[in-house]
Amino acid sequence: MEQSKTAFWHLTPAELLDLLQTTPNGLTSSEASQRQVRKTRIASQPKHVIHDLKLLIAQFSSPIILILVFAAILSIFLHDQLDAGIILTIVGISGLLGFFQERGAANAVAKLLALVQVTVQVLRDGKELDIPAGQVVPGDVVILDAGDIIPGDCYLLETTDLYLDEAALTGETFPVEKKAAILPEDTPLSQRSNVVWMGTHVISGDARVLVVNIGEETEFGKVSTSLKSKVRETEFEHGIRRFGYLLMEITLVIVFIIFGVNVFLKRPVLDSFLFSLALAVGLTPQLLPAIISINLSHGARKMAQKKVIVKRLASIENFGSMNVLCSDKTGTLTEGVVRLQDTLDSEGKHKDKVLHYAYLNASFESGFTNPVDQAILVFRGFDISAYTKLGEVPYDFIRKRLSILVREADRSLMISKGALANILEVCSQAELSDGRIVALQEARDTIEQHFREFSEQGLRIMGVAYRYLDTQTAFSKAAEEDMTFLGFISLYDPIKPNITDVVEQLKQNGIRLKVITGDNHLVATSLAKQLGIKAPHILTGREIALLNNQALPRLAAKTDIFAEVEPIHKEMIILALRKAGNVVGYIGDGINDASALHSADVSISVDGAVDVAKEAADIVLLEKDLQVLSHGVLLGRTTFANTLKYVFMATSANFGNMFSMAGASLFLPFLPLLPKQVLLTNLLTDFPEMNIATDAVDPDMLVKPRRWNIKFIRQFMITFGLVSSIFDFLTFGLLLLVLHATPEQFRTGWFVESVVSASIIVLVVRTRKLFCRSKPGKALLLATLAVVIATLLIPYTPIISVMGFCPLPFRFMLFLVVIICAYIATAETAKRLFYKIVRRS
């Protein structure tokens, strides 16, 4: 659009409104719809097509698959067109199967994400309404409040004490003040104080802004490749990558050895090459990406039923691996409804004047809605018609207080409320019960004694102070001095009735709860007692600031409650816990939680959170309840367990079969299986495993967090691969020495034994119990039976001539069934011994 190239910060509001063809009251609904349609036509549809195309190409992007396809095409011109066509067909079916599964999974997840999308308040037809942030168009007038994310590059029309966090764009650590103004055309980006940028968010204050640029036309969009940091690799993704390296090493060794030996034995080079590549395909769990996507999307749908919405699929696995959960207090451990208990003067006696002044402050406050103000307003009403608001200094996380200025008769009254320590630091006097004003120093000991007493009762205490300003009609932070301390506001938020049971349940599931709160250590101690934490270890923000990078991880691991913390401390705590080797979850819903959410392994927010917290979260709870979270953790572990099942299945039977074929090819005068037969074997054995997402999981697999263990996977693969190979070689001996099979009979018999045993072994390795005592999922069981039956029938169908098989005599099938049964019994015994040895080590 033309306006994206204009120095719009240099224009007057009228000029920019005219350029964007809009009004101070925003667009009409019809005009906004037309602009949205144009935007969708340009951006959305091609992206959808491109996404599908990328997903399809990704199914065939494996180097091994690409080499196999190239070799098959080459063989069309040099060798056997029919065999090459069959190989390409099998590879194509496998790829399309993965594509449709992953595409379906992605579509299902997209529907879930729509439930927790970030909304923006805009003016349409002169009325305020909430719309998804993605539907904002140039020309929209947006209303901003604390915690809101900026939906595009916007021009400020009106502001009230507006401060933004622009760290994502400029790297500036401290909040930046923004004001409506007209700036010179050559003003540098960092000094354009009349513009708010996409990708930043509001810390405090409010504003009315005009959207100028969106998407790729924004400053953030122009430099997105350099500014958007790489998405942090999850614990699960790290495990998948390491597993991939392990398979790659084994595959390369096998391929080079087998190809070299076959060429040395003077077998056809192209056949040897195709056979080696087919072995590599057989060993590689081709469907692992699809299986992971299916598992994760299935898990996401199940979690949605439990009111847990997953925004980033890979975080599900981390959710299950989480062993430390850091949580705030309000609404998670408590009922989340702050109630006012009493208002007291500096001597600890009830005083209505404190409530009256607190009511004035809360009534005229125009920043973000907060539960403290709500509690004050609903406790008792006052007639404030005689007061007129003159100004406001909004709350921020450095001052920790909110001040308003009102006109009372012929003078101006400033009232501040906030954290007690931050109120006292701007006071020089205190008002006593009898109305006398004394120096603060005379009353300070009494004030602090009452503060300790109230805090030990688990009450949250805030201070109220005032100052008369005779002729002042406007004011700033500088006016917050020489104030008179009026008294206390005591608030309480009772813990949830079932919270102690939930905390114990988390503990039994191997998750240690750590509470991070801004409340003082006395309130934190009271909370710990209510939660049933005996002799809690409490660390305060002051103590955290004094610790070095080596001491904090050690102390954080032992700490139950972090009290009196600042926003910067939250991130330090999360990073320290991760450094200590934990998988850390963090649940937060406020403006000051964004950095901690970005730092956690699993970032959790709630649907009612401010935009910046909801945007930063991997997982969003539709209810702020640890019980909901506990259900989600178990579903995450179920998903993780089912993903590991596929890895065990793919690496046990597949590794054994491929190793056996590699060994057999060294002494047989013919290839044990033709390349197309190897690929068909691999395709058939993958069918049951594609249903692993719906499989039941044994309760003992869910009782504690589980993480990737490459050493364990390697041991499992070798153990069960050897068991599989032993029976494979028994099959070879039976077919050659006892049954005197021809090459075609050998391949057919070996194909039947290989597919049937690999399919049934799925039911064995999916559980640590005796396989007949652990009921598999219905879909998995039916798919396994279907593959077994189909494999037994293949030698007697017309497909045999195309695939190079032949009908088997009845006694062949009888011997093969006996070997398969013996294999299952041996695998079951090996499994019990394996887990017994692993448990001891």
Side-chain angles (χ1 to χ4, degrees):
M1 296 178 68
E2 187 63 33
Q3 60 266 29
S4 66
K5 302 174 184 177
T6 303
F8 60 89
W9 53 90
H10 179 56
L11 302 177
T12 65
E15 289 172 335
L16 191 54
L17 289 168
D18 183 60
L19 180 65
L20 292 168
Q21 298 178 359
T22 186
T23 70
N25 292 321
L27 298 166
T28 63
S29 297
S30 59
E31 175 60 26
S33 297
Q34 291 174 14
R35 296 188 186 192
Q36 182 65 34
V37 168
R38 288 197 295 269
K39 170 185 158 188
T40 303
R41 188 183 302 125
I42 294 169
S44 300
Q45 292 178 1
K47 285 184 180 178
H48 183 71
V49 173
I50 291 170
H51 175 267
D52 285 351
L53 187 60
K54 284 183 177 178
L55 194 60
L56 180 62
I57 293 172
Q59 308 303 315
F60 306 96
S61 60
S62 163
I64 294 174
I65 294 293
L66 292 176
I67 294 172
L68 184 63
V69 170
F70 174 75
I73 293 173
L74 186 63
S75 69
I76 292 176
F77 300 99
L78 304 177
H79 195 252
D80 188 338
Q81 289 88 343
L82 180 61
D83 280 7
I86 292 171
I87 290 172
L88 292 175
T89 300
I90 294 174
V91 170
I93 291 172
S94 178
L96 288 173
L97 192 61
F99 166 73
F100 286 115
Q101 291 281 0
E102 284 200 71
R103 185 172 180 268
N107 290 340
V109 171
K111 292 177 182 177
L112 294 178
L113 290 179
L115 297 175
V116 291
Q117 59 191 348
V118 172
T119 59
V120 176
Q121 191 175 47
V122 300
L123 291 176
R124 295 272 172 89
D125 300 317
K127 299 177 182 177
E128 296 181 8
L129 72 154
D130 291 329
I131 65 170
Q135 293 183 13
V136 170
V137 294
D140 266 324
V141 174
V142 176
I143 309 299
L144 296 178
D145 206 341
D148 288 347
I149 286 179
I150 311 302
D153 289 352
C154 307
Y155 180 90
L156 298 179
L157 298 175
E158 298 174 12
T159 64
T160 304
D161 299 305
L162 184 66
Y163 285 84
L164 263 72
D165 181 344
E166 292 190 337
L169 184 64
T170 66
E172 175 60 51
T173 305
F174 297 100
V176 178
E177 187 175 11
K178 297 286 186 174
K179 290 182 178 179
I182 301 171
L183 299 176
E185 190 172 352
D186 59 352
T187 303
L189 183 143
S190 60
Q191 296 176 25
R192 294 172 194 167
S193 57
N194 66 341
V195 177
V196 290
W197 310 104
M198 178 181 174
T200 64
H201 66 271
V202 181
I203 293 291
S204 62
D206 55 73
R208 179 179 292 202
V209 302
L210 176 62
V211 179
V212 180
N213 294 321
I214 58 173
E216 295 179 359
E217 295 173 346
T218 63
E219 292 298 325
F220 198 92
K222 292 174 186 175
V223 292
S224 59
T225 52
S226 60
L227 278 179
K228 287 181 182 175
S229 58
K230 183 181 179 181
V231 177
R232 186 179 66 253
E233 185 179 57
T234 66
E235 174 78 13
F236 176 74
E237 289 168 329
H238 179 63
I240 286 287
R241 184 164 52 81
R242 290 170 60 208
F243 174 61
Y245 290 153
L246 172 66
L247 286 181
M248 185 172 65
E249 291 168 5
I250 296 171
T251 301
L252 287 174
V253 170
I254 289 178
V255 167
F256 282 119
I257 291 176
I258 297 306
F259 178 66
V261 170
N262 276 277
V263 171
F264 178 76
L265 295 176
K266 301 188 186 321
R267 291 172 184 165
V269 174
L270 188 56
D271 277 353
S272 299
F273 186 53
L274 284 170
F275 177 72
S276 300
L277 289 175
L279 280 181
V281 173
L283 179 60
T284 305
Q286 286 174 269
L287 293 180
L288 183 59
I291 293 293
I292 290 173
S293 294
I294 296 163
N295 270 342
L296 295 180
S297 63
H298 179 78
R301 287 195 295 270
K302 296 284 286 185
M303 290 169 75
Q305 294 171 8
K306 297 292 185 180
K307 300 183 179 181
V308 179
I309 304 300
V310 180
K311 289 178 59 188
R312 185 184 175 198
L313 283 183
S315 65
I316 292 179
E317 309 290 4
N318 269 4
F319 206 30
S321 303
M322 181 175 66
N323 68 309
V324 170
L325 173 64
C326 296
S327 171
D328 61 357
K329 172 175 69 77
T330 305
T332 308
L333 306 176
T334 65
E335 291 183 358
V337 180
V338 178
R339 296 178 175 87
L340 189 148
Q341 186 189 66
D342 204 353
T343 52
L344 311 111
D345 61 25
S346 58
E347 296 179 280
K349 299 175 183 177
H350 172 78
K351 194 165 190 174
D352 278 348
K353 184 178 179 180
V354 179
L355 179 59
H356 182 209
Y357 277 31
Y359 187 89
L360 283 167
N361 182 283
S363 297
F364 288 114
E365 185 266 325
S366 61
F368 61 94
T369 304
N370 63 85
V372 172
D373 285 343
Q374 293 299 313
I376 293 169
L377 294 174
V378 301
F379 185 77
R380 178 181 160 189
F382 290 87
D383 181 6
I384 59 173
S385 58
Y387 296 88
T388 304
K389 181 179 178 181
L390 300 177
E392 175 181 353
V393 180
Y395 179 91
D396 63 55
F397 298 106
I398 299 173
R399 291 166 41 254
K400 293 187 177 179
R401 55 182 175 262
L402 164 70
S403 298
I404 60 106
L405 183 67
V406 295
R407 170 73 67 182
E408 179 195 20
D410 59 346
R411 59 184 178 178
S412 299
L413 171 65
M414 179 173 70
I415 303 171
S416 297
K417 76 174 190 303
L420 183 68
N422 299 72
I423 290 294
L424 290 177
E425 74 180 16
V426 295
C427 291
S428 59
Q429 306 173 109
E431 183 175 313
L432 303 182
S433 300
D434 58 8
R436 288 186 299 121
I437 306 296
V438 300
L440 179 66
Q441 207 58 35
E442 292 182 35
R444 193 172 194 112
D445 288 345
T446 303
I447 291 170
E448 291 179 350
Q449 180 185 342
H450 287 307
F451 174 69
R452 284 192 296 272
E453 290 173 357
F454 298 145
S455 297
E456 286 171 355
Q457 297 170 28
L459 296 170
R460 180 182 176 186
I461 303 300
M462 298 182 70
V464 178
Y466 69 94
R467 178 186 177 191
Y468 286 108
L469 304 172
D470 292 333
T471 58
Q472 188 153 346
T473 57
F475 77 123
S476 64
K477 296 175 187 177
E480 294 178 330
E481 61 179 6
D482 293 328
M483 301 189 74
T484 300
F485 180 76
L486 181 60
F488 307 97
I489 306 170
S490 65
L491 304 142
Y492 69 101
D493 182 8
I495 67 168
K496 292 184 176 180
N498 65 337
I499 194 61
T500 52
D501 294 335
V502 176
V503 172
E504 181 60 29
Q505 184 181 358
L506 288 171
K507 185 178 178 181
Q508 290 176 359
N509 288 332
I511 300 173
R512 186 175 177 187
L513 177 68
K514 295 181 184 290
V515 182
I516 301 179
T517 176
D519 290 338
N520 66 72
H521 69 285
L522 298 171
V523 174
T525 302
S526 173
L527 174 65
K529 291 177 182 176
Q530 294 179 70
L531 293 176
I533 303 175
K534 298 177 181 178
H537 188 283
I538 297 175
L539 198 63
T540 66
R542 278 196 199 90
E543 293 168 331
I544 291 170
L546 297 174
L547 295 173
N548 59 37
N549 292 336
Q550 285 71 41
L552 183 55
R554 188 173 65 254
L555 278 176
K558 301 176 183 176
T559 301
D560 298 295
I561 297 183
F562 300 89
E564 303 172 20
V565 298
E566 304 287 345
I568 191 172
H569 295 148
K570 296 181 180 183
E571 184 178 12
M572 292 169 64
I573 292 165
I574 301 301
L575 293 174
L577 289 168
R578 290 184 63 197
K579 188 176 181 180
N582 300 291
V583 177
V584 184
Y586 179 79
I587 178 170
D589 61 358
I591 303 167
N592 60 344
D593 290 316
S595 60
L597 287 166
H598 279 296
S599 301
D601 291 297
V602 186
S603 52
I604 307 158
S605 193
V606 294
D607 193 31
V610 297
D611 289 347
V612 66
K614 195 158 63 171
E615 184 73 14
D618 297 321
I619 291 170
V620 177
L621 308 180
L622 297 183
E623 288 183 8
K624 193 174 184 181
D625 187 347
L626 283 188
Q627 185 70 58
V628 171
L629 193 67
S630 183
H631 290 315
V633 167
L634 293 181
L635 286 168
R637 290 182 185 174
T638 299
T639 305
F640 185 60
N642 280 336
T643 304
L644 282 182
K645 284 179 190 178
Y646 174 77
V647 171
F648 292 153
M649 295 167 188
T651 56
S652 55
N654 284 15
F655 176 72
N657 288 343
M658 298 309 114
F659 184 76
S660 301
M661 276 192 277
S665 68
L666 301 181
F667 63 83
L668 287 176
F670 53 87
L671 290 176
L673 282 181
L674 299 175
K676 59 187 176 184
Q677 295 169 346
V678 175
L679 293 176
L680 181 62
T681 300
N682 192 45
L683 181 64
L684 288 174
T685 53
D686 272 334
F687 267 107
E689 295 161 1
M690 291 198 71
N691 295 281
I692 200 66
T694 59
D695 189 29
V697 175
D698 296 335
D700 61 314
M701 296 293 292
L702 305 177
V703 294
K704 64 179 182 180
R706 298 189 180 276
R707 301 170 72 171
W708 275 94
N709 186 335
I710 296 300
K711 180 182 177 183
F712 178 85
I713 294 173
R714 187 188 297 113
Q715 292 172 339
F716 192 96
M717 181 170 66
I718 293 172
T719 300
F720 287 88
L722 288 175
V723 171
S724 176
S725 288
I726 288 170
F727 280 88
D728 288 339
F729 283 109
L730 282 176
T731 303
F732 296 160
L734 174 71
L735 290 169
L736 292 173
L737 304 177
V738 177
L739 299 175
H740 305 292
T742 65
E744 287 75 19
Q745 289 176 328
F746 180 92
R747 289 170 182 148
T748 307
W750 163 228
F751 166 79
V752 170
E753 190 274 340
S754 177
V755 175
V756 172
S757 62
S759 299
I760 296 179
I761 202 65
V762 166
L763 304 179
V764 175
V765 300
R766 60 169 292 278
T767 176
R768 294 192 177 195
K769 298 179 180 179
L770 188 65
F771 82 96
C772 57
R773 292 183 181 175
S774 176
K775 187 178 180 181
K778 185 177 180 181
L780 176 64
L781 181 61
L782 291 175
T784 301
L785 292 175
V787 169
V788 169
I789 293 171
T791 304
L792 293 173
L793 293 176
I794 281 176
Y796 310 102
T797 60
I799 195 177
I800 55 174
S801 59
V802 175
M803 295 302 302
F805 294 132
C806 68
L808 290 176
F810 177 75
R811 63 193 184 99
F812 275 56
M813 297 296 279
L814 189 61
F815 275 116
L816 292 175
V817 169
V818 170
I819 284 186
I820 291 170
C821 291
Y823 170 49
I824 294 169
T826 304
E828 187 62 52
T829 304
K831 181 180 71 176
R832 298 183 67 180
L833 290 173
F834 176 79
Y835 283 119
K836 190 177 291 186
I837 294 169
V838 168
R839 196 178 295 117
R840 286 175 184 170
S841 60

